[in-house]
Amino acid sequence: MPHPASSPPQSPRSVAIVGAGIVGMSAAHFLSRAGWQVTVYDAGAPASGATGSADGAVSIASKKPGPLMTLAVAAVRFYEHLTETGILGDEYLPRSTFVVASDQEELGVLERHASHLEASGVSIRLLKGAALTGAIGAAAPSAIAAVEVQGEGHAVGYRVVERLRRLGGFPIRRNCRVSGFNFSKGRIVGVVTEDGVEPTDAVLLATGLGSASFLSGLGPIRPRKGQLIVTDRAGADAPSFPGPLMSCRYLVSKGSQAAPGVTESRSLGLVIDPLRTGQFLIGGSREDRDDRETTDADVVATLLRDAVELAPSLAQLRVIRVFAGLRAATSDGLPIVGRVGGAENLWIATGFEGDGICLGPLMGRLCQQMICGEPVAHDISSLDAARFGLSLATAA
Amino acid sequence: MTRFHQTFSFDGTPVACTDNETIASALDRAGIRVLGPGQNDCAGRYFCGIGACQACVVSVDGTRMEACLTPARAGLFVQRIGSGAS
Amino acid sequence: MSAEVLVIGGGPAGASAALHLARAGLHVTLCEQGPRLGGALHRQPDDPAQRIRVPRAQSQRWRALSTALEASSVQILCRHMFAGIEGGGTVLLEDRASGRLVTRRPAALVLALGAVERVTPLPGWQLPGVTTVGGLQVMMKSTGQAPDGDVLVAGSGPLLLALAAQMAALGKAPVAVLERSPKLVSPSVIASLITAPAYLREASHYLLALARAGALPQHGTWVRAISPRDGRLAVTIVDRHGRDRELVVDRVALHDGLLPNQNGTAAPSNGPFVVRAGDCREVLGGVAAMADGRHAAKAVLAHLGRSTEAEPSATRVLSRERRAQAAINALYDYSGADPAWLPDETVICRCEGRTLGQLRDLLASSDPVSAREIKLNGRFGMGACQGRFCAEWVAAFIAAQRDGEPPAVSEIIGSRWPVKPVPISAFVTLPPSRPSE
Ligand SMILES: Cc1cc2nc3c(=O)[nH]c(=O)nc-3n(C[C@H](O)[C@H](O)[C@H](O)COP(=O)(O)OP(=O)(O)OC[C@H]3O[C@@H](n4cnc5c(N)ncnc54)[C@H](O)[C@@H]3O)c2cc1C
Ligand SMILES: Cc1cc2nc3c(=O)[nH]c(=O)nc-3n(C[C@H](O)[C@H](O)[C@H](O)COP(=O)(O)OP(=O)(O)OC[C@H]3O[C@@H](n4cnc5c(N)ncnc54)[C@H](O)[C@@H]3O)c2cc1C
Ligand code: FES
């Protein structure tokens, strides 16, 4: 183990992490473990962004084939690793995801997606007939087939953040919006907040949707709203849900698999997620809107109609809450992770759309490796900010 | 005069009720205080009487509703949440 | 056709608002979640032989109001629960009889949802057999019978007296009435109540009934803990001198004041014009609620551009009742048990079964965790009652730990629809929307 003191003398020692979502908090944890003096800034509180209003599928099942699917496989393994080493306690719950097809067209999409998953090394099981009803007691008779995607799981974003907060090692500045930076010789030397300027040797922007204000070329990051429904608890007598049920339509809504004629500004794809509490999280919408305060009955009723069609026993439960979150979407569906032009000690990790709970801890680790100048464990060249020509907005 | 000539079923047991009372008051008269399993040892029970606390929610003919707001009627099929036969 | 106005809540405030709006020529619908109108105060069994005493002047006024309402054009929908105003501005109503969700787009919405009782936590408050004071009263009013078994009434406030006296009138006084406030009536309070003699009359009537039954309130006395024992409830009582004693009873009724029932009633920007009325706006009691209903009607009429007459009498009633309530509240102590006394096992959030120990743990570090983090990680305010019984207490507890202002209760409960849990089976009855806008 290299002792911190043995690092090169010019190596930066303090790092400012802007954003206390799952990505920023993971990076903070690993950088602090690597001997850095970390300060986390958040305009609100930990998990007050997308991380606190998300579902927690740590899942490969819905990923777009390609780099995202490959990274998701690594991210799930990383959750397992963090569980084995005790860092995450029992926050990660391993379980399978079930993608269900209800008609022939969906079956076609399902089979195509299943072959991509297998090609990425994911173990899957095709369920039909008695095997289907045996595995998923709650599935409606109309389900014609399902793919069980094995070896993945669930983690609640805000709980992961709370776990990392409790492990500690760094201060969190709440209600402390970072408005800009001070520069010297092409480097950031200070973080500017309402409370003044604090010196720093390096900066990581893990600001989710807030990233746009730091970057010139606002274009690539757009809010994509998602509405989620929380039910009360199922009774002890409820039919079994071995894991989340995802309708094949969800893959289409997420853009993971194309379907003809889907170009709406709003799409609904169904996931019924049985939570550890016995409640269900039912989602979600993808809307090109940026208001997270409102939720609408139309979206909720549509999702619930689909949910009851897929799992009729849900009709016995009640909706106790509906909430919305904003995903930070990029135009090519991939996150932005790496260096940003404009300062040589600035890194960014944003644009995780609907995948940041899954990818967050791994990305935090990779950010730590980049910032420490260590070899980066996975190929993330396709996530480079350069593909959008992003650089730091100079006007602070 | 109060009439008790009708009953509804609560977890399979007949419970007498009048024409003008709620499921909650009929259960109370029958000495039934625990209305559901609840969470972490906090059993379901009658508490606020006005539909606010949600502690008295039972399944009435398959739909969850507050026992304190729901009129008792002959023949209703009332169950504690999670008590089977769903 | 005239604009539709929706009034929610069939208590004195909602009934009076609905009647006045209908008289002004508007098309009014009055929704009540329960099977009957009357609200918290005027809920009565159908059998007139079993009526529970409500102050005569008030019950006469209510009878007049409900008779006028029946004769009016107001459409009355019982068993219709207001579920909230969704993001598009549409009002959602759950029709309990048919199990359907109904949507409305009224020009204005009057929310007269009444009050919710406060019950501050103490060990055992979550047990079956423990109710709110009002809850026990509601049951008694709807059956016309005193609750069976030995009943202990505790906490603080005039509602303790009302319940105990009503029980005594039915021949079954509580075994004890424990009033936390050490105060007895002081001359200054009497002086301020002189302007509202009805309350003095009501109180003396109650006290007389309790004196006859040998169940006068014991002042300065409170409940430390309740625990189950052989199917009954063993209650540890702390008397005026700080000494513990134990009483074994069948029921305990608790009450520490009233709060406006405002969860999720904030108006979205694109929804109908919203007015709150009665205890839902400000807890001032039944007399004020009727006057406040008139006020709300006037605000709606003004909003719709109808000419309205001034309501000097309603304004006068409200300020008189505000003074009277302030004088009454000064007599009582709604603080509940000192949290420092409470053991870690004390349940704070009954819905989720969350304890004081878990709340203390979240606040233990020097890190100033936000109310939202406490909500998310502690699950306080996340249960089915949506924080109606814990959010205010949790907010005050956080503030006390930090010597600060309490965080906004809305940080703990949010301000979202549904106002109350809605069955999924009702949601699926909503007709699918027109193809996307
Ligand atoms: C409805 C919904 C469902 C989802 N479901 C899943 C799922 O099942 N699985 C999955 O993997 N992912 C899911 N996601 C996506 C996931 O939530 C996000 O990708 C992830 O939380 C992103 O984390 P983050 O740390 O990048 O951003 P955030 O959590 O948004 O954190 C950014 C933080 O930066 C702070 N900030 C911004 N600007 C500033 C500034 N100038 N100064 C200081 N602080 C600032 C914000 O306050 C915020 O706390 C879902 C998202 C939504 C909305
Ligand atoms: C349990 C209880 C007992 C009380 N007992 C007394 C007493 O004995 N003496 C006294 O002076 N004061 C009493 N009060 C105070 C009482 O609130 C006022 O005196 C008076 O009733 C206030 O009138 P209101 O119209 O504002 O509200 P309420 O009379 O409470 O009427 C509100 C109405 O709204 C309905 N409602 C609530 N939420 C919804 C919804 N989402 N959808 C549809 N309908 C809804 C309720 O069912 C209720 O009928 C009591 C309060 C409570 C909570
Ligand atoms: S007793 Fe509180 S909701 Fe029924």
Side-chain angles (χ1 to χ4, degrees):
Chain A
M1 269 292 282
H3 192 268
S6 71
S7 358
Q10 75 276 23
S11 163
R13 302 286 310 129
S14 68
V15 58
I17 295 178
V18 191
I22 193 165
V23 175
M25 289 293 281
S26 301
H29 172 81
F30 294 114
L31 281 161
S32 154
R33 291 276 162 118
W36 286 63
Q37 192 190 316
V38 175
T39 306
V40 178
Y41 299 84
D42 200 288
S48 58
T51 301
S53 39
D55 190 8
V58 176
S59 170
I60 306 155
S62 67
K63 299 296 180 280
K64 195 172 178 168
L68 201 57
M69 195 179 268
T70 312
L71 279 173
V73 172
V76 173
R77 298 298 160 261
F78 195 60
Y79 262 99
E80 290 166 0
H81 165 75
L82 293 178
T83 304
E84 281 155 21
T85 51
I87 290 170
L88 272 190
D90 64 354
E91 296 304 342
Y92 175 64
L93 177 72
R95 60 176 200 192
S96 297
T97 300
F98 297 82
V99 189
V100 184
S102 299
D103 57 37
Q104 287 304 325
E105 195 192 336
E106 287 185 13
L107 185 59
V109 175
L110 183 64
E111 282 171 346
R112 200 151 18 108
H113 195 64
S115 62
H116 286 298
L117 286 166
E118 273 191 309
S120 296
V122 179
S123 51
I124 61 165
R125 190 156 71 108
L126 184 66
L127 302 166
K128 282 185 173 170
L132 172 64
T133 45
I136 318 170
S142 60
I144 58 173
V147 163
E148 176 183 354
V149 184
Q150 295 169 332
E152 48 183 47
H154 189 262
V156 179
Y158 59 78
R159 293 192 53 108
V160 172
V161 163
E162 171 68 1
R163 172 86 190 169
L164 297 171
R165 181 190 75 82
R166 279 174 180 255
L167 290 175
F170 50 88
I172 301 168
R173 301 247 207 288
R174 292 174 176 77
N175 304 313
C176 190
R177 175 179 296 280
V178 173
S179 57
F181 304 104
N182 283 352
F183 299 87
S184 171
K185 298 183 194 125
R187 297 175 63 83
I188 294 176
V189 293
V191 176
V192 183
T193 71
E194 248 178 28
D195 306 334
V197 180
E198 289 186 46
T200 190
D201 297 321
V203 172
L204 172 65
L205 287 177
T207 35
L209 260 185
S211 311
S213 67
F214 290 99
L215 303 170
S216 68
L218 250 154
I221 300 170
R222 291 259 168 74
R224 189 168 291 161
K225 175 172 171 169
Q227 302 190 36
L228 293 177
I229 302 158
V230 185
T231 73
D232 54 7
R233 290 177 167 79
D237 55 336
S240 78
F241 269 89
L245 303 192
M246 195 181 282
S247 84
C248 236
R249 235 176 301 168
Y250 180 80
L251 301 176
V252 176
S253 134
K254 221 182 159 197
S256 304
Q257 291 293 340
V262 187
T263 50
E264 285 177 68
S265 68
R266 181 182 101 185
S267 65
L268 301 177
L270 179 67
V271 180
I272 305 167
D273 202 342
L275 302 178
R276 274 201 232 199
T277 55
Q279 298 169 283
F280 290 85
L281 201 61
I282 300 174
S285 63
R286 285 187 141 73
E287 304 161 71
D288 293 328
R289 291 171 58 173
D290 69 350
D291 56 325
R292 62 177 274 192
E293 274 70 43
T294 64
T295 54
D296 36 286
D298 187 27
V299 167
V300 170
T302 307
L303 285 169
L304 290 176
R305 268 192 299 271
D306 290 353
V308 168
E309 219 176 281
L310 201 59
S313 61
L314 290 176
Q316 295 169 14
L317 304 183
R318 301 184 303 163
V319 173
I320 69 170
R321 209 168 27 252
V322 180
F323 64 90
L326 298 179
R327 311 175 182 90
T330 62
S331 51
D332 63 1
L334 291 177
I336 301 170
V337 181
R339 293 198 103 95
V340 192
E344 58 186 68
N345 56 345
L346 172 66
W347 285 265
I348 193 168
T350 186
F352 292 97
E353 217 271 355
D355 304 313
I357 305 304
C358 173
L359 299 177
L362 178 66
M363 292 300 146
R365 172 83 164 130
L366 301 188
C367 286
Q368 172 259 311
Q369 290 170 340
M370 285 190 295
I371 293 172
C372 291
E374 295 170 9
V376 177
H378 298 278
D379 175 15
I380 52 168
S381 53
S382 58
L383 310 186
D384 202 299
R387 73 187 193 277
F388 295 119
L390 289 179
S391 67
L392 192 62
T394 39
Chain B
M1 252 320 281
T2 311
R3 285 154 299 156
F4 293 102
H5 56 250
Q6 48 188 1
T7 64
F8 62 85
S9 148
F10 184 69
D11 276 354
T13 314
V15 173
C17 62
T18 68
D19 285 333
N20 294 300
E21 67 179 332
T22 60
I23 290 174
S25 73
L27 292 174
D28 187 86
R29 190 178 326 91
I32 298 168
R33 298 277 191 276
V34 175
L35 304 187
Q39 207 44 39
N40 298 340
D41 293 332
C42 294
R45 50 116 186 236
Y46 177 87
F47 184 61
C48 74
I50 58 168
C53 76
Q54 300 295 309
C56 71
V57 169
V58 291
S59 161
V60 180
D61 287 346
T63 304
R64 293 184 180 188
M65 50 184 92
E66 302 89 347
C68 71
L69 292 181
T70 309
R73 238 187 332 104
L76 285 181
F77 190 62
V78 183
Q79 290 177 293
R80 292 185 175 99
I81 304 293
S83 63
S86 58
Chain C
M1 219 187 84
S2 67
E4 187 195 15
V5 179
L6 205 55
V7 179
I8 315 287
S16 125
L19 182 64
H20 285 84
L21 287 164
R23 282 186 175 160
L26 294 181
H27 168 40
V28 182
T29 306
L30 174 62
C31 298
E32 163 59 42
Q33 64 182 358
R36 259 183 293 249
L37 300 187
L41 202 48
H42 302 289
R43 182 186 304 264
Q44 292 284 333
D46 273 8
D47 187 343
Q50 297 174 327
R51 280 189 185 276
I52 306 298
R53 190 195 140 92
V54 166
R56 192 180 303 125
Q58 283 209 45
S59 58
Q60 277 167 358
R61 237 173 281 161
W62 171 254
R63 264 202 300 281
L65 179 57
S66 50
T67 311
L69 201 57
E70 268 159 44
S72 76
S73 63
V74 174
Q75 185 193 10
I76 298 172
L77 300 175
C78 285
R79 300 200 68 206
H80 275 63
M81 194 198 74
F82 168 66
I85 311 168
E86 57 88 55
T90 301
V91 175
L92 302 176
L93 302 171
E94 181 200 343
D95 174 353
R96 285 289 172 88
S98 74
R100 305 181 77 84
L101 206 57
V102 181
T103 58
R104 293 286 178 110
R105 283 198 151 264
L109 177 68
V110 178
L111 295 177
L113 311 180
V116 180
E117 290 179 270
R118 282 179 81 239
V119 171
T120 56
L122 54 89
W125 75 277
Q126 77 282 2
L127 292 167
V130 180
T131 65
T132 67
V133 165
L136 204 57
Q137 188 193 38
V138 162
M139 188 170 283
M140 197 167 77
K141 282 181 177 175
S142 59
T143 59
Q145 287 158 353
D148 61 3
D150 293 337
V151 179
L152 174 71
V153 178
S156 196
L159 209 51
L160 273 61
L161 275 188
L163 170 70
Q166 288 158 346
M167 287 176 62
L170 292 172
K172 251 199 100 277
V175 292
V177 180
L178 313 182
E179 167 54 58
R180 172 181 290 274
S181 167
K183 278 181 239 159
L184 294 168
V185 180
S186 72
S188 68
V189 166
I190 297 201
S192 47
L193 276 177
I194 290 289
T195 53
Y199 290 106
L200 280 178
R201 267 202 307 277
E202 189 182 343
S204 51
H205 167 86
Y206 288 155
L207 287 169
L208 215 64
L210 289 177
R212 270 201 298 265
L216 277 172
Q218 302 170 36
H219 279 259
T221 308
W222 49 283
V223 171
R224 185 199 294 286
I226 307 168
S227 54
R229 182 176 306 161
D230 307 329
R232 305 186 78 202
L233 297 167
V235 187
T236 311
I237 294 164
V238 185
D239 74 12
R240 197 145 46 97
H241 310 290
R243 283 182 307 238
D244 281 9
R245 76 191 146 94
E246 194 185 77
L247 207 57
V248 179
V249 296
D250 299 290
R251 299 174 194 262
V252 179
L254 300 174
H255 174 89
D256 300 293
L258 293 164
L259 289 174
N261 182 13
Q262 292 186 344
N263 276 24
T265 61
S269 49
N270 55 351
F273 176 71
V274 178
V275 201
R276 297 194 185 99
D279 277 8
C280 169
R281 188 186 60 76
E282 182 182 2
V283 178
L284 295 176
V287 175
M290 274 191 206
D292 208 31
R294 293 212 301 278
H295 251 268
K298 192 172 163 274
V300 168
L301 291 169
H303 172 77
L304 297 178
R306 309 275 176 132
S307 65
T308 60
E309 293 152 40
E311 276 281 9
S313 72
T315 309
R316 241 187 347 262
V317 172
L318 283 176
S319 44
R320 187 191 66 213
E321 293 300 310
R322 192 172 290 124
R323 270 197 311 277
Q325 289 297 326
I328 293 170
N329 284 333
L331 286 172
Y332 294 102
D333 175 359
Y334 299 129
S335 60
D338 180 352
W341 280 86
L342 295 175
D344 279 349
E345 310 78 68
T346 311
V347 170
I348 303 299
C349 159
R350 193 214 71 92
C351 299
E352 295 290 301
R354 306 298 289 180
T355 64
L356 183 55
Q358 288 162 324
L359 180 56
R360 284 184 173 137
D361 181 49
L362 281 163
L363 289 163
S365 74
S366 56
D367 201 13
V369 293
S370 63
R372 190 181 141 87
E373 288 167 88
I374 289 167
K375 167 196 170 137
L376 287 178
N377 296 300
R379 305 192 64 75
F380 299 101
M382 300 250 286
C385 88
Q386 299 170 327
R388 282 185 173 83
F389 287 85
C390 72
E392 181 249 2
W393 194 88
V394 169
F397 184 82
I398 296 170
Q401 299 298 298
R402 300 245 170 97
D403 295 323
E405 276 285 296
V409 171
S410 64
E411 281 187 64
I412 298 173
I413 54 181
S415 53
R416 297 188 174 99
W417 70 280
V419 171
K420 296 216 288 178
V422 176
I424 290 178
S425 56
F427 261 108
V428 302
T429 66
L430 271 187
S433 68
R434 49 243 168 274
S436 66
E437 334 101 59

